[in-house]
Amino acid sequence: METLTIDNLRVEYRSRAVGDPVKTAVRGLNLRVAQGEVFGFLGPNGAGKTSTMNVLLGFVPPTSGTARLFGVDVREPIARQRIGYLPEQTYYYKFLTAEELLRFYAEIFQIPKAERTQRIDAVLKLVELDHARTRQIKTYSKGMQQRAGLAQALINNPDLLILDEPTSGLDPIGRMKVREIIQRLKSEGKTVFFSSHELGEVETVCDRIAILHQGELKTEGRVSDLLRQHGANLEQIFLKIIGHPLQP
Amino acid sequence: MNTIWALAKIVVLEMIRRKDFYVLFILTVLLTGMAGSVNLFNDHSIVRYLKEICLLLIWVASLVIAITCTARQIPMEREQRTIFPLLAKPVTRAQFLLGKFLGCWVATGLALLVFYLFFGVVSASREQHWPVLNYLQAGFLHWLMLGIVIAATLLGSIVFAAPSSNGTICFVCVAGILLLGRHLNKVALGLAEPLQSLLYGIYFVIPHLELFDVRDLITHNWDLIPGGVMALAILYAATYTAFLLTAAWLVFRRRPLN
Protein backbone atom coordinates (compact mmCIF):
# COMPACT_ATOMS: atom_id res chain seq x y z
CA MET A 1 0.00 0.00 0.00
CA GLU A 2 1.28 3.49 -0.85
CA THR A 3 1.52 6.03 1.95
CA LEU A 4 2.59 8.96 -0.17
CA THR A 5 1.75 9.60 -3.81
CA ILE A 6 2.85 12.54 -5.91
CA ASP A 7 1.65 12.86 -9.52
CA ASN A 8 2.95 15.43 -12.02
CA LEU A 9 3.55 17.94 -9.27
CA ARG A 10 4.49 21.42 -10.37
CA VAL A 11 5.16 24.26 -7.95
CA GLU A 12 5.63 27.82 -9.17
CA TYR A 13 6.23 30.98 -7.21
CA ARG A 14 5.05 34.22 -8.71
CA SER A 15 7.03 37.30 -7.85
CA ARG A 16 5.13 40.35 -6.63
CA ALA A 17 7.27 42.62 -8.80
CA VAL A 18 5.77 43.20 -12.25
CA GLY A 19 7.90 41.72 -15.01
CA ASP A 20 9.81 39.29 -12.79
CA PRO A 21 9.72 35.75 -14.20
CA VAL A 22 7.77 32.98 -12.51
CA LYS A 23 10.12 30.74 -10.51
CA THR A 24 9.50 27.03 -11.01
CA ALA A 25 10.57 25.13 -7.91
CA VAL A 26 9.26 21.65 -8.87
CA ARG A 27 8.62 20.38 -12.42
CA GLY A 28 6.42 17.36 -13.05
CA LEU A 29 7.47 15.33 -10.03
CA ASN A 30 6.16 11.76 -9.70
CA LEU A 31 6.91 9.84 -6.53
CA ARG A 32 5.59 6.83 -4.61
CA VAL A 33 6.51 5.88 -1.07
CA ALA A 34 5.27 2.56 0.26
CA GLN A 35 4.23 1.77 3.80
CA GLY A 36 7.12 0.90 6.12
CA GLU A 37 9.81 2.43 3.91
CA VAL A 38 12.50 4.85 4.98
CA PHE A 39 12.74 7.18 2.02
CA GLY A 40 15.57 9.69 1.54
CA PHE A 41 14.69 12.82 -0.39
CA LEU A 42 17.95 14.31 -1.61
CA GLY A 43 19.13 17.25 -3.64
CA PRO A 44 21.35 20.30 -3.42
CA ASN A 45 20.01 23.54 -1.93
CA GLY A 46 17.27 24.99 -4.14
CA ALA A 47 16.50 21.62 -5.75
CA GLY A 48 12.82 21.76 -4.74
CA LYS A 49 12.85 19.45 -1.70
CA THR A 50 11.38 21.98 0.73
CA SER A 51 8.79 23.10 -1.85
CA THR A 52 7.68 19.47 -2.25
CA MET A 53 7.49 19.05 1.50
CA ASN A 54 5.55 22.31 1.78
CA VAL A 55 2.98 20.93 -0.64
CA LEU A 56 2.78 17.64 1.28
CA LEU A 57 2.17 19.56 4.51
CA GLY A 58 -0.44 21.86 2.98
CA PHE A 59 1.64 25.04 3.38
CA VAL A 60 1.74 25.71 -0.37
CA PRO A 61 -0.94 24.72 -2.91
CA PRO A 62 0.41 22.87 -5.94
CA THR A 63 0.37 24.88 -9.18
CA SER A 64 -0.65 21.67 -10.96
CA GLY A 65 -0.61 17.96 -10.26
CA THR A 66 -1.66 16.19 -7.09
CA ALA A 67 -0.15 14.98 -3.84
CA ARG A 68 -1.86 12.48 -1.60
CA LEU A 69 -1.17 11.10 1.87
CA PHE A 70 -2.89 7.79 2.61
CA GLY A 71 -5.00 8.42 -0.49
CA VAL A 72 -6.30 11.79 0.76
CA ASP A 73 -5.51 15.01 -1.10
CA VAL A 74 -3.01 17.04 0.93
CA ARG A 75 -5.26 20.10 0.64
CA GLU A 76 -7.63 18.40 3.09
CA PRO A 77 -6.52 19.00 6.70
CA ILE A 78 -7.57 15.45 7.63
CA ALA A 79 -4.70 14.17 5.43
CA ARG A 80 -2.37 15.37 8.18
CA GLN A 81 -4.07 13.40 10.97
CA ARG A 82 -1.69 10.44 10.62
CA ILE A 83 1.56 12.27 9.97
CA GLY A 84 4.30 13.69 12.14
CA TYR A 85 6.48 16.56 10.93
CA LEU A 86 9.84 17.76 12.17
CA PRO A 87 10.96 21.02 10.53
CA GLU A 88 14.62 21.75 9.80
CA GLN A 89 14.90 24.50 12.37
CA THR A 90 13.00 23.58 15.46
CA TYR A 91 11.46 26.52 17.25
CA TYR A 92 8.66 25.88 19.69
CA TYR A 93 6.76 27.98 22.19
CA LYS A 94 9.70 28.67 24.48
CA PHE A 95 7.52 29.68 27.42
CA LEU A 96 6.10 26.14 27.55
CA THR A 97 7.65 23.08 29.12
CA ALA A 98 8.14 19.98 26.96
CA GLU A 99 5.22 18.34 28.74
CA GLU A 100 2.91 21.33 28.12
CA LEU A 101 3.99 21.48 24.48
CA LEU A 102 3.16 17.81 23.97
CA ARG A 103 -0.14 18.17 25.82
CA PHE A 104 -1.06 21.03 23.49
CA TYR A 105 -0.29 19.02 20.34
CA ALA A 106 -2.06 15.97 21.80
CA GLU A 107 -5.17 18.12 22.24
CA ILE A 108 -4.90 19.24 18.62
CA PHE A 109 -4.90 15.59 17.55
CA GLN A 110 -7.81 15.00 19.91
CA ILE A 111 -6.07 12.15 21.64
CA PRO A 112 -8.37 10.97 24.47
CA LYS A 113 -7.39 12.31 27.92
CA ALA A 114 -6.69 8.87 29.37
CA GLU A 115 -4.30 8.05 26.53
CA ARG A 116 -2.70 11.52 26.45
CA THR A 117 -0.53 11.18 29.55
CA GLN A 118 0.60 7.71 28.50
CA ARG A 119 1.63 8.99 25.05
CA ILE A 120 3.46 11.98 26.51
CA ASP A 121 5.38 9.71 28.91
CA ALA A 122 6.26 7.30 26.13
CA VAL A 123 7.58 9.88 23.64
CA LEU A 124 9.50 11.81 26.30
CA LYS A 125 11.16 8.56 27.31
CA LEU A 126 11.88 7.69 23.68
CA VAL A 127 13.64 11.01 22.99
CA GLU A 128 15.30 10.94 26.43
CA LEU A 129 13.76 14.18 27.70
CA ASP A 130 11.95 12.63 30.63
CA HIS A 131 14.28 14.30 33.14
CA ALA A 132 13.66 17.79 31.66
CA ARG A 133 9.91 17.52 31.05
CA THR A 134 8.95 20.30 33.49
CA ARG A 135 11.64 22.75 32.35
CA GLN A 136 10.72 25.53 29.94
CA ILE A 137 11.97 24.90 26.39
CA LYS A 138 13.94 28.15 26.41
CA THR A 139 16.37 26.50 28.85
CA TYR A 140 17.06 23.55 26.49
CA SER A 141 20.23 23.03 24.45
CA LYS A 142 19.92 22.82 20.66
CA GLY A 143 20.04 19.02 20.75
CA MET A 144 17.35 18.89 23.42
CA GLN A 145 15.15 21.26 21.39
CA GLN A 146 15.57 19.02 18.36
CA ARG A 147 14.53 16.02 20.45
CA ALA A 148 11.53 17.97 21.77
CA GLY A 149 10.71 18.56 18.09
CA LEU A 150 10.96 14.86 17.41
CA ALA A 151 8.71 14.18 20.41
CA GLN A 152 5.99 16.51 19.06
CA ALA A 153 6.28 14.78 15.67
CA LEU A 154 5.64 11.44 17.37
CA ILE A 155 2.86 12.45 19.79
CA ASN A 156 0.05 11.15 17.58
CA ASN A 157 1.85 7.84 16.93
CA PRO A 158 2.02 8.75 13.22
CA ASP A 159 2.12 6.25 10.39
CA LEU A 160 4.21 8.64 8.29
CA LEU A 161 6.99 10.88 9.54
CA ILE A 162 8.19 13.78 7.42
CA LEU A 163 11.58 14.98 8.63
CA ASP A 164 13.28 18.01 7.10
CA GLU A 165 17.03 17.64 7.73
CA PRO A 166 16.50 16.14 11.17
CA THR A 167 20.18 16.05 12.13
CA SER A 168 21.11 19.50 10.87
CA GLY A 169 23.19 21.39 13.44
CA LEU A 170 23.39 18.50 15.89
CA ASP A 171 26.58 17.18 17.47
CA PRO A 172 27.63 13.54 16.71
CA ILE A 173 25.82 12.20 19.79
CA GLY A 174 22.66 14.07 18.84
CA ARG A 175 22.86 12.70 15.31
CA MET A 176 23.35 9.19 16.57
CA LYS A 177 20.29 9.50 18.81
CA VAL A 178 18.11 10.78 15.96
CA ARG A 179 19.39 7.97 13.74
CA GLU A 180 18.58 5.40 16.43
CA ILE A 181 15.06 6.79 16.71
CA ILE A 182 14.53 6.60 12.93
CA GLN A 183 15.74 2.99 12.91
CA ARG A 184 13.48 2.15 15.82
CA LEU A 185 10.49 3.67 13.99
CA LYS A 186 11.42 1.68 10.90
CA SER A 187 11.43 -1.52 12.95
CA GLU A 188 7.91 -0.59 14.16
CA GLY A 189 6.76 -0.47 10.53
CA LYS A 190 6.46 3.33 10.29
CA THR A 191 7.07 5.16 7.03
CA VAL A 192 9.78 7.82 7.20
CA PHE A 193 10.22 10.43 4.48
CA PHE A 194 13.19 12.65 5.12
CA SER A 195 15.47 15.13 3.45
CA SER A 196 19.10 15.33 4.43
CA HIS A 197 22.48 16.51 3.24
CA GLU A 198 24.20 13.86 5.36
CA LEU A 199 24.64 11.24 2.64
CA GLY A 200 26.48 8.77 4.88
CA GLU A 201 23.51 8.81 7.19
CA VAL A 202 21.06 8.40 4.31
CA GLU A 203 23.07 5.40 3.07
CA THR A 204 22.83 3.83 6.53
CA VAL A 205 19.13 4.28 7.27
CA CYS A 206 17.28 4.59 3.94
CA ASP A 207 15.64 1.81 1.93
CA ARG A 208 15.07 3.99 -1.11
CA ILE A 209 16.10 7.46 -2.23
CA ALA A 210 15.17 10.07 -4.80
CA ILE A 211 17.56 12.77 -6.03
CA LEU A 212 16.09 16.06 -7.13
CA HIS A 213 17.98 18.75 -9.05
CA GLN A 214 16.62 22.07 -10.32
CA GLY A 215 13.09 20.93 -9.59
CA GLU A 216 13.36 17.69 -11.57
CA LEU A 217 13.60 14.13 -10.38
CA LYS A 218 17.00 12.83 -11.55
CA THR A 219 16.96 9.36 -10.10
CA GLU A 220 14.96 7.16 -7.78
CA GLY A 221 15.55 3.66 -6.48
CA ARG A 222 16.74 1.31 -3.78
CA VAL A 223 19.98 2.43 -2.12
CA SER A 224 21.54 -1.04 -2.54
CA ASP A 225 20.63 -1.13 -6.27
CA LEU A 226 22.08 2.35 -6.91
CA LEU A 227 25.31 1.53 -5.09
CA ARG A 228 25.72 -1.69 -7.11
CA GLN A 229 24.74 -0.06 -10.39
CA HIS A 230 27.21 2.84 -10.07
CA GLY A 231 29.94 0.98 -8.19
CA ALA A 232 30.45 4.01 -5.94
CA ASN A 233 29.28 5.41 -2.61
CA LEU A 234 26.18 7.58 -2.32
CA GLU A 235 28.14 10.83 -2.18
CA GLN A 236 29.88 10.05 -5.47
CA ILE A 237 26.59 8.99 -7.06
CA PHE A 238 24.92 12.20 -5.85
CA LEU A 239 27.68 14.46 -7.23
CA LYS A 240 27.64 12.62 -10.55
CA ILE A 241 23.86 12.90 -10.91
CA ILE A 242 23.72 16.63 -10.19
CA GLY A 243 26.58 17.17 -12.66
CA HIS A 244 29.17 18.31 -10.12
CA PRO A 245 32.78 17.49 -11.08
CA LEU A 246 34.15 14.72 -8.89
CA GLN A 247 37.30 15.34 -6.83
CA PRO A 248 40.23 13.15 -7.92
CA MET B 1 -13.88 23.55 18.91
CA ASN B 2 -11.25 21.49 20.82
CA THR B 3 -8.54 22.70 18.46
CA ILE B 4 -9.61 26.35 18.80
CA TRP B 5 -9.70 26.06 22.57
CA ALA B 6 -6.27 24.32 22.66
CA LEU B 7 -4.80 27.21 20.64
CA ALA B 8 -6.52 29.78 22.85
CA LYS B 9 -5.10 28.23 26.03
CA ILE B 10 -1.56 28.70 24.70
CA VAL B 11 -2.20 32.42 24.17
CA VAL B 12 -3.59 32.77 27.69
CA LEU B 13 -0.61 30.89 29.14
CA GLU B 14 1.72 33.19 27.21
CA MET B 15 0.09 36.28 28.71
CA ILE B 16 0.34 34.82 32.20
CA ARG B 17 4.04 34.08 31.76
CA ARG B 18 4.96 37.42 30.19
CA LYS B 19 5.54 40.55 32.27
CA ASP B 20 3.37 42.99 30.26
CA PHE B 21 0.18 42.51 32.25
CA TYR B 22 1.90 42.70 35.66
CA VAL B 23 3.76 45.90 34.71
CA LEU B 24 0.54 47.58 33.54
CA PHE B 25 -1.36 46.44 36.60
CA ILE B 26 1.30 47.68 39.02
CA LEU B 27 1.43 50.99 37.12
CA THR B 28 -2.35 51.34 37.39
CA VAL B 29 -2.24 50.56 41.13
CA LEU B 30 0.58 53.06 41.72
CA LEU B 31 -1.03 55.87 39.74
CA THR B 32 -4.43 55.29 41.35
CA GLY B 33 -2.78 55.13 44.76
CA MET B 34 -1.02 58.44 44.11
CA ALA B 35 -4.24 60.07 42.93
CA GLY B 36 -6.08 58.67 45.96
CA SER B 37 -3.56 60.05 48.42
CA VAL B 38 -4.43 63.63 47.40
CA ASN B 39 -7.16 65.09 49.58
CA LEU B 40 -8.21 68.52 48.30
CA PHE B 41 -10.24 70.61 50.78
CA ASN B 42 -11.75 67.44 52.25
CA ASP B 43 -14.06 67.37 49.18
CA HIS B 44 -16.18 64.21 48.96
CA SER B 45 -16.58 64.49 45.17
CA ILE B 46 -12.85 63.67 45.00
CA VAL B 47 -13.99 60.03 45.08
CA ARG B 48 -15.53 60.53 41.64
CA TYR B 49 -12.29 61.95 40.27
CA LEU B 50 -10.40 59.03 41.73
CA LYS B 51 -12.84 56.60 40.10
CA GLU B 52 -12.54 58.44 36.77
CA ILE B 53 -8.73 58.33 36.89
CA CYS B 54 -8.74 54.64 37.82
CA LEU B 55 -11.18 53.77 35.00
CA LEU B 56 -9.21 55.79 32.46
CA LEU B 57 -6.05 53.91 33.46
CA ILE B 58 -7.92 50.61 33.17
CA TRP B 59 -9.15 51.54 29.68
CA VAL B 60 -5.68 52.54 28.51
CA ALA B 61 -4.07 49.44 30.07
CA SER B 62 -6.67 47.09 28.58
CA LEU B 63 -6.17 48.57 25.11
CA VAL B 64 -2.39 48.22 25.46
CA ILE B 65 -2.77 44.58 26.56
CA ALA B 66 -5.31 43.71 23.83
CA ILE B 67 -3.47 45.38 20.95
CA THR B 68 0.09 44.36 21.85
CA CYS B 69 -0.89 40.79 22.71
CA THR B 70 -2.84 40.36 19.46
CA ALA B 71 -0.43 42.24 17.20
CA ARG B 72 2.47 39.92 18.03
CA GLN B 73 0.61 36.58 17.74
CA ILE B 74 0.82 35.81 14.00
CA PRO B 75 4.10 37.66 13.22
CA MET B 76 5.75 35.80 16.13
CA GLU B 77 4.41 32.44 14.93
CA ARG B 78 5.92 33.18 11.50
CA GLU B 79 9.19 34.65 12.75
CA GLN B 80 9.83 31.82 15.22
CA ARG B 81 8.49 29.30 12.70
CA THR B 82 6.16 27.70 15.25
CA ILE B 83 3.39 28.04 12.67
CA PHE B 84 4.96 25.24 10.57
CA PRO B 85 4.73 22.32 12.99
CA LEU B 86 1.31 23.66 14.02
CA LEU B 87 -0.25 23.87 10.56
CA ALA B 88 1.36 20.54 9.64
CA LYS B 89 -1.21 19.09 12.02
CA PRO B 90 -4.92 18.81 11.23
CA VAL B 91 -5.49 22.50 11.92
CA THR B 92 -7.17 24.73 9.33
CA ARG B 93 -6.19 28.35 8.94
CA ALA B 94 -9.67 29.38 10.09
CA GLN B 95 -9.22 27.39 13.31
CA PHE B 96 -5.79 28.95 13.76
CA LEU B 97 -7.24 32.47 13.48
CA LEU B 98 -10.21 31.70 15.72
CA GLY B 99 -7.89 30.14 18.32
CA LYS B 100 -5.71 33.23 18.33
CA PHE B 101 -8.75 35.49 18.58
CA LEU B 102 -10.33 33.52 21.40
CA GLY B 103 -7.02 33.32 23.27
CA CYS B 104 -6.41 37.07 23.07
CA TRP B 105 -10.00 37.84 24.02
CA VAL B 106 -10.03 35.46 27.00
CA ALA B 107 -6.58 36.67 28.14
CA THR B 108 -7.73 40.29 27.94
CA GLY B 109 -10.95 39.34 29.74
CA LEU B 110 -8.95 37.81 32.61
CA ALA B 111 -6.82 40.95 32.81
CA LEU B 112 -10.00 43.07 32.85
CA LEU B 113 -11.38 40.98 35.69
CA VAL B 114 -8.30 41.73 37.81
CA PHE B 115 -8.44 45.43 36.93
CA TYR B 116 -12.15 45.75 37.74
CA LEU B 117 -11.65 43.88 41.02
CA PHE B 118 -9.01 46.44 41.91
CA PHE B 119 -11.39 49.24 40.89
CA GLY B 120 -14.09 47.69 43.08
CA VAL B 121 -11.72 47.59 46.06
CA VAL B 122 -10.68 51.23 45.51
CA SER B 123 -14.28 52.34 45.10
CA ALA B 124 -15.58 50.35 48.09
CA SER B 125 -12.81 51.69 50.32
CA ARG B 126 -14.07 55.24 49.73
CA GLU B 127 -17.82 54.82 49.23
CA GLN B 128 -18.50 51.80 51.45
CA HIS B 129 -20.78 50.16 48.88
CA TRP B 130 -20.17 47.79 46.02
CA PRO B 131 -22.63 47.87 43.07
CA VAL B 132 -21.46 44.54 41.62
CA LEU B 133 -24.06 44.41 38.82
CA ASN B 134 -23.04 47.83 37.50
CA TYR B 135 -19.40 46.77 37.51
CA LEU B 136 -20.28 43.57 35.69
CA GLN B 137 -22.23 45.46 33.03
CA ALA B 138 -19.50 48.04 32.48
CA GLY B 139 -16.81 45.36 32.44
CA PHE B 140 -18.79 43.17 30.04
CA LEU B 141 -19.38 46.03 27.57
CA HIS B 142 -15.70 46.94 27.85
CA TRP B 143 -14.81 43.34 27.03
CA LEU B 144 -17.18 43.30 24.03
CA MET B 145 -15.49 46.43 22.72
CA LEU B 146 -12.09 44.77 23.12
CA GLY B 147 -13.38 41.86 21.02
CA ILE B 148 -13.81 44.24 18.07
CA VAL B 149 -10.37 45.77 18.72
CA ILE B 150 -8.75 42.31 18.90
CA ALA B 151 -10.41 41.18 15.64
CA ALA B 152 -9.25 44.38 13.91
CA THR B 153 -5.70 43.95 15.24
CA LEU B 154 -5.66 40.32 14.10
CA LEU B 155 -6.60 41.46 10.59
CA GLY B 156 -3.90 44.13 10.79
CA SER B 157 -1.29 41.54 11.85
CA ILE B 158 -1.86 39.67 8.58
CA VAL B 159 -1.76 42.80 6.42
CA PHE B 160 1.20 44.50 8.13
CA ALA B 161 4.26 42.35 8.72
CA ALA B 162 5.71 44.25 11.68
CA PRO B 163 3.81 44.07 15.00
CA SER B 164 5.00 47.60 15.87
CA SER B 165 3.47 49.21 12.77
CA ASN B 166 0.25 47.23 13.22
CA GLY B 167 0.10 48.16 16.90
CA THR B 168 0.63 51.86 16.19
CA ILE B 169 -2.00 51.93 13.43
CA CYS B 170 -4.51 50.11 15.64
CA PHE B 171 -3.86 52.45 18.59
CA VAL B 172 -4.33 55.53 16.40
CA CYS B 173 -7.54 54.15 14.85
CA VAL B 174 -9.03 53.02 18.18
CA ALA B 175 -8.13 56.29 19.93
CA GLY B 176 -9.52 58.22 16.96
CA ILE B 177 -12.82 56.30 17.04
CA LEU B 178 -13.15 56.61 20.83
CA LEU B 179 -12.45 60.35 20.85
CA LEU B 180 -13.88 61.55 17.54
CA GLY B 181 -16.15 58.77 16.26
CA ARG B 182 -19.38 60.17 17.67
CA HIS B 183 -18.68 63.67 16.26
CA LEU B 184 -17.93 62.71 12.66
CA ASN B 185 -21.54 63.21 11.45
CA LYS B 186 -21.65 66.69 12.97
CA VAL B 187 -18.35 67.62 11.35
CA ALA B 188 -19.63 66.23 8.01
CA LEU B 189 -22.59 68.63 8.11
CA GLY B 190 -20.28 71.61 7.75
CA LEU B 191 -18.28 70.18 4.84
CA ALA B 192 -18.78 70.50 1.08
CA GLU B 193 -19.25 67.52 -1.23
CA PRO B 194 -17.60 65.05 -1.82
CA LEU B 195 -15.92 65.35 1.61
CA GLN B 196 -19.31 65.37 3.31
CA SER B 197 -20.34 62.02 1.79
CA LEU B 198 -16.91 60.58 2.49
CA LEU B 199 -17.04 61.53 6.15
CA TYR B 200 -20.62 60.28 6.44
CA GLY B 201 -19.47 57.03 4.85
CA ILE B 202 -16.71 56.68 7.44
CA TYR B 203 -19.17 57.54 10.22
CA PHE B 204 -21.50 54.73 9.19
CA VAL B 205 -18.79 52.16 8.47
CA ILE B 206 -16.54 52.40 11.53
CA PRO B 207 -17.41 50.42 14.64
CA HIS B 208 -18.56 52.96 17.23
CA LEU B 209 -16.43 51.76 20.11
CA GLU B 210 -17.48 54.74 22.21
CA LEU B 211 -20.94 53.15 22.55
CA PHE B 212 -19.36 50.56 24.84
CA ASP B 213 -17.76 53.18 27.07
CA VAL B 214 -20.10 53.32 30.08
CA ARG B 215 -17.59 54.54 32.64
CA ASP B 216 -20.08 57.18 33.80
CA LEU B 217 -22.41 54.36 34.81
CA ILE B 218 -20.08 53.34 37.63
CA THR B 219 -18.48 56.71 38.29
CA HIS B 220 -21.80 58.38 39.04
CA ASN B 221 -23.62 55.26 40.27
CA TRP B 222 -26.29 55.42 37.58
CA ASP B 223 -29.02 52.81 37.07
CA LEU B 224 -28.39 49.58 35.22
CA ILE B 225 -28.60 49.50 31.42
CA PRO B 226 -31.83 47.76 30.24
CA GLY B 227 -31.52 44.20 28.95
CA GLY B 228 -32.70 45.10 25.42
CA VAL B 229 -29.92 47.67 25.05
CA MET B 230 -27.40 45.12 26.27
CA ALA B 231 -28.67 42.59 23.71
CA LEU B 232 -28.28 45.18 20.94
CA ALA B 233 -24.75 45.94 22.11
CA ILE B 234 -23.89 42.23 21.99
CA LEU B 235 -25.33 41.95 18.47
CA TYR B 236 -23.47 45.07 17.33
CA ALA B 237 -20.13 43.81 18.70
CA ALA B 238 -20.68 40.29 17.35
CA THR B 239 -21.46 41.61 13.86
CA TYR B 240 -18.31 43.75 13.65
CA THR B 241 -16.13 41.04 15.19
CA ALA B 242 -17.45 38.42 12.76
CA PHE B 243 -16.95 40.76 9.80
CA LEU B 244 -13.35 41.56 10.79
CA LEU B 245 -12.52 37.90 11.47
CA THR B 246 -13.97 36.87 8.10
CA ALA B 247 -11.85 39.54 6.40
CA ALA B 248 -8.78 38.24 8.28
CA TRP B 249 -9.50 34.69 7.15
CA LEU B 250 -10.00 35.76 3.50
CA VAL B 251 -6.59 37.45 3.52
CA PHE B 252 -4.83 34.71 5.48
CA ARG B 253 -6.17 31.59 3.75
CA ARG B 254 -4.10 32.08 0.55
CA ARG B 255 -1.13 33.83 2.10
CA PRO B 256 2.24 32.04 1.92
CA LEU B 257 3.51 31.18 5.36
CA ASN B 258 7.12 32.28 4.85
Side-chain angles (χ1 to χ4, degrees):
Chain A
M1 187 200 155
E2 271 147 8
T3 302
L4 188 158
T5 323
I6 297 174
D7 286 312
N8 290 317
L9 182 72
R10 189 176 181 85
V11 182
E12 290 175 354
Y13 296 109
R14 282 168 213 287
S15 171
R16 284 189 178 179
V18 180
D20 274 11
V22 171
K23 187 181 175 288
T24 307
V26 182
R27 303 160 199 268
L29 179 66
N30 289 294
L31 214 57
R32 300 271 183 281
V33 178
Q35 193 184 331
E37 267 188 334
V38 177
F39 193 91
F41 196 46
L42 315 179
N45 290 333
K49 304 187 299 292
T50 304
S51 291
T52 308
M53 284 192 171
N54 283 347
V55 169
L56 289 174
L57 296 161
F59 300 156
V60 173
T63 308
S64 64
T66 56
R68 288 172 182 278
L69 297 173
F70 308 102
V72 181
D73 194 302
V74 290
R75 279 173 282 207
E76 302 290 329
I78 196 70
R80 302 191 285 279
Q81 183 68 32
R82 289 165 65 193
I83 70 164
Y85 167 60
L86 176 69
E88 180 187 353
Q89 289 158 307
T90 46
Y91 296 107
Y92 298 100
Y93 304 99
K94 295 192 173 176
F95 53 89
L96 296 181
T97 65
E99 192 174 336
E100 286 167 342
L101 181 82
L102 295 179
R103 204 166 286 282
F104 164 57
Y105 288 130
E107 273 185 63
I108 297 255
F109 280 111
Q110 298 182 18
I111 298 170
K113 267 187 185 168
E115 205 185 308
R116 220 175 274 171
T117 310
Q118 267 180 318
R119 261 322 291 153
I120 292 168
D121 290 347
V123 288
L124 282 174
K125 210 164 274 178
L126 180 71
V127 300
E128 296 175 23
L129 276 181
D130 207 21
H131 63 287
R133 62 191 295 161
T134 52
R135 264 169 54 192
Q136 285 189 10
I137 293 173
K138 66 181 170 198
T139 65
Y140 283 12
S141 68
K142 193 168 179 185
M144 287 168 86
Q145 284 190 26
Q146 187 76 344
R147 280 185 276 144
L150 205 49
Q152 66 78 26
L154 295 169
I155 191 67
N156 57 328
N157 195 15
D159 293 315
L160 167 66
L161 262 165
I162 298 179
L163 313 175
D164 193 359
E165 300 188 25
T167 55
S168 150
L170 293 184
D171 64 14
I173 299 169
R175 282 170 193 222
M176 191 186 71
K177 280 186 176 164
V178 171
R179 207 163 44 229
E180 275 173 11
I181 292 168
I182 293 174
Q183 275 168 333
R184 193 164 161 175
L185 292 168
K186 181 184 171 181
S187 68
E188 287 172 15
K190 309 280 185 198
T191 312
V192 183
F193 180 83
F194 81 102
S195 78
S196 178
H197 291 299
E198 302 294 330
L199 299 178
E201 194 172 270
V202 170
E203 203 174 317
T204 319
V205 296
C206 286
D207 298 314
R208 282 199 311 135
I209 59 158
I211 298 177
L212 218 64
H213 185 43
Q214 292 172 342
E216 285 175 12
L217 182 66
K218 295 294 178 187
T219 193
E220 184 198 349
R222 296 197 70 79
V223 176
S224 52
D225 292 347
L226 287 168
L227 294 178
R228 198 173 49 243
Q229 214 176 321
H230 291 266
N233 65 27
L234 195 55
E235 189 172 84
Q236 289 164 327
I237 298 169
F238 178 83
L239 291 172
K240 190 176 152 191
I241 285 172
I242 65 162
H244 193 276
L246 289 170
Q247 296 293 316
Chain B
M1 194 60 201
N2 281 352
T3 305
I4 295 168
W5 184 236
L7 281 156
K9 279 197 290 189
I10 295 297
V11 180
V12 175
L13 208 57
E14 186 205 6
M15 193 199 75
I16 291 169
R17 289 185 183 169
R18 280 178 70 106
K19 295 182 182 78
D20 314 20
F21 163 71
Y22 305 103
V23 170
L24 284 164
F25 183 66
I26 290 167
L27 215 62
T28 305
V29 171
L30 286 176
L31 289 172
T32 310
M34 274 167 65
S37 66
V38 180
N39 190 357
L40 293 172
F41 315 117
N42 213 11
D43 184 359
H44 284 295
S45 62
I46 198 84
V47 179
R48 286 188 186 160
Y49 296 125
L50 182 66
K51 282 162 82 176
E52 273 179 9
I53 291 169
C54 186
L55 282 172
L56 179 68
L57 289 170
I58 290 173
W59 267 70
V60 173
S62 69
L63 283 173
V64 171
I65 291 170
I67 293 176
T68 53
C69 174
T70 313
R72 68 168 173 259
Q73 289 303 320
I74 295 177
M76 215 165 75
E77 286 268 2
R78 290 163 94 153
E79 192 187 311
Q80 301 196 344
R81 303 177 71 83
T82 45
I83 197 166
F84 291 99
L86 181 60
L87 291 186
K89 295 180 170 50
V91 177
T92 63
R93 292 193 186 198
Q95 285 173 322
F96 175 76
L97 278 179
L98 284 174
K100 290 291 178 190
F101 168 78
L102 186 66
C104 293
W105 197 41
V106 170
T108 316
L110 290 173
L112 266 191
L113 196 69
V114 176
F115 276 115
Y116 273 87
L117 272 173
F118 168 68
F119 174 80
V121 170
V122 169
S123 180
S125 71
R126 298 293 174 110
E127 289 185 325
Q128 279 78 45
H129 77 116
W130 207 353
V132 179
L133 282 177
N134 294 42
Y135 291 172
L136 280 175
Q137 252 189 357
F140 181 66
L141 286 170
H142 189 167
W143 191 41
L144 285 180
M145 186 278 296
L146 289 174
I148 304 174
V149 173
I150 288 167
T153 313
L154 207 57
L155 170 63
S157 71
I158 300 163
V159 178
F160 308 106
S164 53
S165 55
N166 179 31
T168 310
I169 291 166
C170 287
F171 268 121
V172 171
C173 290
V174 169
I177 291 172
L178 284 170
L179 297 173
L180 307 170
R182 74 181 79 191
H183 306 298
L184 284 181
N185 58 338
K186 290 169 214 152
V187 176
L189 273 174
L191 292 175
E193 287 294 352
L195 273 178
Q196 191 182 57
S197 300
L198 184 75
L199 210 56
Y200 263 126
I202 294 172
Y203 177 76
F204 286 112
V205 165
I206 57 167
H208 284 274
L209 304 176
E210 73 277 4
L211 296 176
F212 298 88
D213 182 1
V214 291
R215 280 178 285 167
D216 285 346
L217 175 80
I218 41 180
T219 306
H220 303 291
N221 298 322
W222 288 348
D223 288 338
L224 283 171
I225 299 165
V229 178
M230 285 297 287
L232 276 175
I234 293 170
L235 189 68
Y236 185 85
T239 308
Y240 269 100
T241 305
F243 170 77
L244 289 163
L245 286 176
T246 309
W249 173 70
L250 288 171
V251 179
F252 187 56
R253 70 185 175 141
R254 305 294 294 174
R255 187 147 284 209
L257 295 179
N258 43 7

